[in-house]
Amino acid sequence: MEKWHLMATVVLIGLTVRWTVSLNSYSGAGKPPMFGDYEAQRHWQEITFNLPVEQWYFNSSDNNLQYWGLDYPPLTAYHSLLCAYVAKFINPDWIALHSSRGYESQAHKLFMRTTVLIADLLIYIPAVVLYCCCLKEISTKKKIANALCILLYPGLILIDYGHFQYNSVSLGFALWGVLGVSCDWDLLGSLAFCLAINYKQMELYHSLPFFCFLLGKCFKKGLKGKGFVLLIKLACTVVACFILCWLPFFTEREQLLQVLRRLFPVDRGLFEWIYRKMDKVANIWCSFSIFLKIKDILPRHIQIVISFCFTFLSLLPACIKLTLQPSPKGFRFTLVSCALSFFLFSFQVHEKSILLVSLPVCLVLSEIPFMSTWFLLVSTFSMLPLLLKDELLMPSVVTTMAFFIACAVSFSIFEKTSEEELQLKSFSISVRKYLPCFTFLPRIIQYLFLISVISMVLLTLITVTLEPPQKLPDLFSVLVCFVSCLNFLFFLVYFNIIIMWDSKNGRNQKKIN
């Protein structure tokens, strides 16, 4: 009973922090004509409520796609429609066709913030609590501390409750999916993950680990027996979920193609969204373009091919190993590796997509607390230009410090830097066969952590206090992008080392029951 009292207290702390952040500004507040993501979410409610389904994704006089046109899968549209019905009941002016554009008021802000909180309470937070309760081989206090740290992760809080989005819905469904397949509830896990993809197409970042883990399970059971039956059941579950979600758009071929064009607008080019003023992304293409303007040198189709090849090759080893040796631990770490590969190398990445990497990192927080805390700090820092643009400096600093203190106290992270606790012992032993003096890896990682934190603090102070040169107005944003990208490349190598040198396949490790 005491456990649930403490867990309830943790949830209340998480909710209090979220609502406090929601009292601040949001994306595009008072900035016509386009405003920001807050207006985009409101506009989708306007469109889905006032127009028939077949017009939601098409350009028309009533639906100007250049003004925050709907570009997420059907489940997002249905969620917008549900919110619109509630908005209509409270104040029809909030979703009136045309006349509601750019609508801003304290009452409407309260309504929009509440919709995020309710979605969080229904989907994401219960998944976090259940995941932490199911962790094995750690004490009850550690489970509660783990839940506290995950719920205090500043990146998700600042984007959903500050900037304004509903990332907790797709991430929550994905987490339910992780829980399902890790507990051998494979059909329920597959269903939950399909809902995640049908809410935000960026959840495809997690799709290969899910596919490889489930396929590996089928191989393990035998494709001539139970494994084949499981494979058929999984295929039917996935197909049925997609058919139900997309059913209104199957009426005409052009209708379906238009939705797909909106979800995957490759015609925009590699840097259409990731190299705008103030919206720099800490991936390899945005960082590399500082030195070489790929967009101006290579045609678009070559850019796509290069992006695909880098992404595929960087995630291939981890996926192959997961397929051949499926384990819950391997699954969690492969989720991190694949999502990070997509973020660093794939086509048309947004800065907020780092949240798709942060979720699985949160899931391994109790296993590698030092490295996980470090990564989650960098992930929040990488969105600094966006957060400053939304006037969220103070909430960013306070939530980041609260998260860091919670992790440092809960897990004693600075004491968890040995080879074994960094899960680098197998790798170090392999290297020492050829280089006996290779005993300094933990010390190097500690120094790198110190350099990383100092650079993040200095860049934050410089960005906030100094004006960039007139000839280089984006200098500080580019530096934030570049430094974060270097950190992420290091983490990509680190997580792949853990995956490839894990010969025990997760035995004697914390597992999901």
Side-chain angles (χ1 to χ4, degrees):
M1 186 63 72
E2 181 185 359
K3 168 187 172 181
W4 292 110
H5 286 161
L6 290 172
M7 193 64 82
T9 303
V10 164
V11 171
L12 285 174
I13 292 171
L15 292 175
T16 302
V17 173
R18 282 161 165 73
W19 194 253
T20 304
V21 171
S22 75
L23 300 176
N24 291 273
S25 181
Y26 51 81
S27 172
K31 296 177 182 177
M34 291 300 291
F35 299 94
D37 275 344
Y38 177 93
E39 167 62 11
Q41 301 291 341
R42 188 217 57 79
H43 181 62
W44 294 348
Q45 295 174 20
E46 171 195 345
I47 292 302
T48 54
F49 185 83
N50 291 287
L51 300 182
V53 174
E54 57 269 18
Q55 295 183 26
W56 286 357
Y57 291 91
F58 279 90
N59 194 54
S60 67
S61 57
D62 290 327
N63 185 21
N64 180 7
L65 294 182
Q66 296 301 312
Y67 184 81
W68 301 115
L70 188 58
D71 53 6
Y72 280 161
L75 212 56
T76 289
Y78 304 149
H79 180 212
S80 297
L81 180 60
L82 178 62
C83 293
Y85 275 107
V86 180
K88 173 74 173 178
F89 177 77
I90 300 172
N91 187 343
D93 292 342
W94 293 348
I95 54 166
L97 191 62
H98 301 307
S99 62
S100 64
R101 281 195 179 185
Y103 192 100
E104 292 180 294
S105 71
Q106 282 300 315
H108 185 254
K109 178 185 175 183
L110 177 63
F111 165 74
M112 295 291 277
R113 296 297 199 194
T114 303
T115 60
V116 177
L117 188 68
I118 291 173
D120 224 352
L121 274 169
L122 292 177
I123 301 172
Y124 181 73
I125 292 177
V128 170
V129 171
L130 185 58
Y131 176 84
C132 293
C133 289
C134 289
L135 284 173
K136 289 218 135 189
E137 298 183 16
I138 64 173
S139 65
T140 298
K141 288 185 178 180
K142 287 296 182 184
K143 293 178 181 180
I144 293 167
N146 202 50
L148 175 65
C149 293
I150 295 175
L151 291 178
L152 287 182
Y153 168 56
L156 181 59
I157 294 173
L158 291 166
I159 294 302
D160 276 15
Y161 291 85
H163 177 80
F164 196 87
Q165 281 192 333
Y166 295 96
N167 292 289
S168 59
V169 176
S170 57
L171 294 178
F173 280 135
L175 183 47
W176 281 111
V178 172
L179 268 166
V181 299
S182 298
C183 298
D184 290 327
W185 306 329
D186 296 325
L187 299 184
L188 290 176
S190 300
L191 176 62
F193 184 64
C194 286
L195 292 176
I197 293 178
N198 280 293
Y199 192 87
K200 280 197 174 183
Q201 66 270 36
M202 287 79 79
E203 276 296 332
L204 289 169
Y205 282 28
H206 298 143
S207 58
L208 275 176
F210 270 91
F211 175 78
C212 293
F213 186 43
L214 291 169
L215 184 62
K217 282 188 174 187
C218 294
F219 285 151
K220 209 170 182 179
K221 291 176 182 288
L223 285 182
K224 293 183 178 180
K226 292 182 178 179
F228 181 73
V229 174
L230 176 60
L231 186 63
I232 296 299
K233 287 180 178 179
L234 289 169
C236 291
T237 301
V238 171
V239 171
C241 181
F242 271 83
I243 288 176
L244 286 175
C245 288
W246 288 70
L247 195 58
F249 305 97
F250 286 144
T251 53
E252 294 180 11
R253 180 172 177 271
E254 183 57 29
Q255 179 82 26
L256 185 61
L257 291 176
Q258 175 64 8
V259 178
L260 292 174
R261 281 193 290 266
R262 292 297 298 165
L263 300 188
F264 305 103
V266 293
D267 291 341
R268 291 175 179 172
L270 185 62
F271 301 108
E272 176 74 15
W273 287 101
I274 70 171
Y275 208 64
R276 297 176 299 176
K277 180 178 174 62
M278 291 300 292
D279 287 349
K280 304 297 183 289
V281 181
N283 75 347
I284 197 71
W285 307 122
C286 192
S287 300
F288 189 64
S289 66
I290 299 170
F291 309 103
L292 185 66
K293 304 297 182 185
I294 300 175
K295 181 182 177 181
D296 301 330
I297 297 174
L298 299 175
R300 186 172 299 156
H301 69 281
I302 299 297
Q303 295 174 27
I304 296 175
V305 170
I306 292 175
S307 172
F308 172 80
C309 289
F310 270 88
T311 306
F312 181 73
L313 291 174
S314 64
L315 55 79
L316 186 61
C319 287
I320 290 175
K321 179 159 188 182
L322 181 62
T323 306
L324 298 177
Q325 300 175 355
S327 69
K329 178 193 173 184
F331 174 52
R332 294 193 295 275
F333 278 95
T334 305
L335 280 170
V336 178
S337 174
C338 287
L340 190 51
S341 293
F342 270 103
F343 179 81
L344 284 170
F345 301 113
S346 65
F347 201 76
Q348 290 186 8
V349 177
H350 202 280
E351 67 269 55
K352 296 185 288 292
S353 297
I354 194 60
L355 298 178
L356 293 158
V357 191
S358 299
L359 173 69
V361 173
C362 286
L363 303 187
V364 298
L365 185 58
S366 62
E367 298 174 65
I368 45 169
F370 179 79
M371 298 301 288
S372 297
T373 302
W374 181 5
F375 179 90
L376 294 170
L377 291 173
V378 176
S379 69
T380 304
F381 169 76
S382 71
M383 298 184 285
L384 180 65
L386 177 69
L387 297 172
L388 291 178
K389 183 180 177 182
D390 293 337
E391 300 177 5
L392 295 170
L393 173 62
M394 188 56 66
S396 301
V397 172
V398 173
T399 53
T400 301
M401 289 301 298
F403 170 75
F404 178 69
I405 292 170
C407 290
V409 172
S410 300
F411 294 105
S412 304
I413 59 173
F414 297 112
E415 300 173 10
K416 303 289 180 67
T417 56
S418 66
E419 287 181 352
E420 190 168 357
E421 286 164 326
L422 293 172
Q423 300 204 16
L424 294 173
K425 190 170 183 178
S426 298
F427 171 72
S428 297
I429 290 172
S430 299
V431 174
R432 278 198 286 269
K433 291 178 182 177
Y434 308 97
L435 190 65
C437 61
F438 188 75
T439 58
F440 45 79
L441 186 55
R443 191 176 302 170
I444 289 176
I445 288 178
Q446 290 172 16
Y447 286 141
L448 289 175
F449 170 78
L450 190 61
I451 293 169
S452 174
V453 170
I454 291 173
S455 64
M456 288 190 290
V457 171
L458 288 178
L459 269 176
T460 301
L461 291 173
I462 289 171
T463 304
V464 170
T465 58
L466 300 179
E467 287 291 329
Q470 289 186 351
K471 292 183 179 180
L472 300 170
D474 295 335
L475 175 63
F476 299 151
S477 297
V478 169
L479 286 175
V480 170
C481 156
F482 185 71
V483 168
S484 301
C485 182
L486 290 179
N487 278 272
F488 292 144
L489 285 170
F490 164 74
F491 282 113
L492 181 65
V493 174
Y494 168 77
F495 283 111
N496 274 284
I497 287 174
I498 291 181
I499 293 166
M500 302 312 295
W501 265 266
D502 176 33
S503 59
K504 296 180 181 180
N505 300 325
R507 290 194 299 270
N508 301 322
Q509 301 290 336
K510 303 175 185 70
K511 294 181 181 179
I512 296 292
N513 183 8

